[in-house]
């Protein structure tokens, strides 16, 4: 049976039960006190009782039973018809939700239920379903863009490798060492891109065991690792902050910090640029902030920097430009640790990136880091 039929029968059954209870109450409180034999009443001296014959129980039942049966028949028909209509109106929102679900299964995620009326259980279900469809639409669109960009990015080094091999095969006088070196560079880039895609997938799946991590130590480690790159670009790095304990994957959080510092170094002024790395504790979590000097950025451009393969205002390529997944990986790792990522353009040029993560109790025996600078 359908849910509508079940509800109809339930409404009708409750209505019939209420009628039976009503008749039982009439019998219990009224008819049971009516005598079953005729009685003559004699007027009393006070005149409070008039003379006559009282009705007996059997006569009342003969008169009452057919009418009660007619009322029960009416209640049955009324319960079936009214219950069917009422159940249909109650289940109407489910019909709209079911239709939206069918459309979603056909990959039409732009449809919304937008259930009108007061906020009840059905309205909350419809609103939650609309929110889920909106998130799915954004996620699927992002995945499609990512797949298209990844295919393009992976196709480029393969096409270059094929072209180099074709040139080497058709031109015997070509310098073999030069071809091998160019193939090595192209192959390295393809490997880096593949590893970045695997890291992005791992972060999205949250396939890691949380452990106690101090972001201040990771900031120091990333700064020391990237110091030669900063010296090559003539960039000054300054680190400062307090102990910032949190829970998460040390490997992923180190990758997050390294990506931020490397981006701040590469996308900086041509010379005499600066990078500031700061860690701190707030009431509701720990914060890692990376700022750098550089070109002036608009809020519209900054809002797109976390998209995969987005490199500033244009798709530039240098020896340290990366594979275009740096901030996309940062955003994914941040979300995998239940944190928030905020990108803000600096008024003097450059970018301020803030990562806020849940805080935890610090490990004992940890000495507080100081602040310093490196060039």
């Amino acid at each position: 049976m359908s849910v509508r039929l079940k509800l109809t029968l339930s409404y009708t059954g409750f209505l019939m039960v209420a009628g039976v209870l009503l008749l039982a109450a009439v019998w219990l409180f009224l008819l049971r006190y009516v005598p079953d034999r005729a009685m003559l009443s004699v007027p009393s001296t006070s005149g409070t009782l008039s003379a006559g014959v009282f009705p007996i129980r059997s006569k009342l039942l003969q008169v009452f039973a057919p009418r009660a049966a007619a009322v029960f028949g009416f209640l049955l028909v009324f319960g079936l018809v009214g219950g069917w209509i009422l159940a249909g109106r109650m289940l109407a929102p489910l019909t709209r939700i079911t239709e939206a679900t069918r459309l979603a299964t056909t990959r039409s995620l732009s449809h919304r239920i937008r259930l009108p009326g007061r906020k009840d259980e059905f309205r909350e279900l419809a609103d939650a379903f609309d929110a889920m469809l909106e998130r799915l639409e954004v996620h699927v669109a992002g995945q499609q863009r990512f797949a298209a960009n990844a295919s393009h990015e992976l196709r480029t080094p393969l096409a270059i490798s094929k072209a180099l091999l074709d040139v080497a095969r058709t031109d015997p006088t070509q310098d073999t060492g030069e071809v091998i070196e160019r193939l090595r560079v192209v192959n390295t880039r393809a490997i880096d891109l593949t590893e970045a895609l695997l890291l992005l997938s791992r972060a999205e799946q949250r396939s890691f065991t949380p452990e106690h991590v101090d972001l201040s130590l990771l900031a120091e480690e990333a700064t020391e690792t990237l110091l030669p790159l900063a010296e090559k670009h003539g960039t000054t790095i300054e680190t400062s902050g307090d102990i910032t304990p949190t829970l998460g994957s040390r490997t992923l959080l180190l990758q997050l910090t390294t990506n931020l510092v490397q981006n701040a170094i590469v996308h900086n002024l041509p010379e005499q640029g600066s990078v500031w790395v700061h860690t701190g504790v707030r009431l509701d979590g720990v914060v890692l902030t990376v700022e750098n000097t550089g070109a002036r950025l608009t809020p519209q451009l900054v809002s797109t920097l976390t998209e995969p393969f987005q490199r500033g205002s244009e798709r530039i390529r240098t020896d340290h430009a990366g594979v275009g997944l740096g901030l996309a990986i940062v955003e994914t790792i941040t979300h995998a640790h239940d944190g928030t990522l905020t990108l803000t353009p600096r008024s003097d040029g450059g970018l301020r990136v803030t990562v806020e993560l849940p805080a935890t109790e610090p490990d004992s025996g940890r000495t507080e880091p100081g602040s310093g600078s490196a060039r």
Side-chain angles (χ1 to χ4, degrees), residues 49-125:
L49 185 64
S50 60
V53 180
F54 281 99
I56 61 176
R57 187 188 307 166
S58 59
K59 292 294 183 180
L60 289 177
L61 289 177
Q62 290 177 3
V63 176
F64 182 72
R67 290 166 175 77
V71 170
F72 265 99
F74 173 77
L75 289 179
L76 179 61
V77 175
F78 179 78
L80 290 174
V81 176
W84 182 262
I85 297 174
L86 182 61
R89 295 193 60 181
M90 292 293 295
L91 296 176
L94 287 181
T95 304
R96 298 183 60 171
I97 296 175
T98 303
E99 181 64 22
T101 305
R102 290 197 183 99
L103 291 175
T105 56
T106 61
R107 295 187 177 275
S108 177
L109 300 177
S110 60
H111 177 72
R112 299 292 182 269
I113 302 173
R114 294 187 177 90
L115 191 66
R118 295 185 176 181
K119 192 167 186 178
D120 55 8
E121 289 81 359
F122 288 121
R123 173 71 180 277
E124 291 180 356
L125 176 61

Side-chain angles (χ1 to χ4, degrees), residues 215-216 219 223 237-241 244 256-257 260-261 264 275-282 286-292 340-344 346 351-357:
L215 286 181
S216 61
T223 301
I237 305 179
E238 296 183 6
T239 59
S240 62
T244 50
L256 176 148
T257 308
L260 290 179
V261 177
V275 175
W276 299 274
V277 183
H278 177 76
T279 56
V281 180
R282 294 180 180 176
V286 296
V287 177
L288 168 67
T289 304
V290 179
E291 299 183 55
N292 70 327
T340 57
L341 175 67
T342 305
L343 278 67
T344 308
R346 300 177 69 246
L351 185 68
R352 177 185 297 109
V353 182
T354 303
V355 177
E356 185 170 356
L357 301 175

Side-chain angles (χ1 to χ4, degrees), residues 140-155:
V140 169
Q143 289 294 323
Q144 291 175 347
R145 291 195 306 270
F146 177 79
N149 290 331
S151 300
H152 176 75
E153 294 288 331
L154 286 172
R155 184 178 61 181

Side-chain angles (χ1 to χ4, degrees), residues 265-281:
I265 295 173
V266 173
H267 302 284
N268 211 310
L269 296 175
E271 56 184 10
Q272 296 184 352
S274 299
V275 175
W276 299 274
V277 183
H278 177 76
T279 56
V281 180

Side-chain angles (χ1 to χ4, degrees), residues 132-145:
M132 181 190 69
L133 286 178
E134 184 175 358
R135 289 195 298 269
L136 282 176
E137 184 180 17
V138 173
H139 178 72
V140 169
Q143 289 294 323
Q144 291 175 347
R145 291 195 306 270

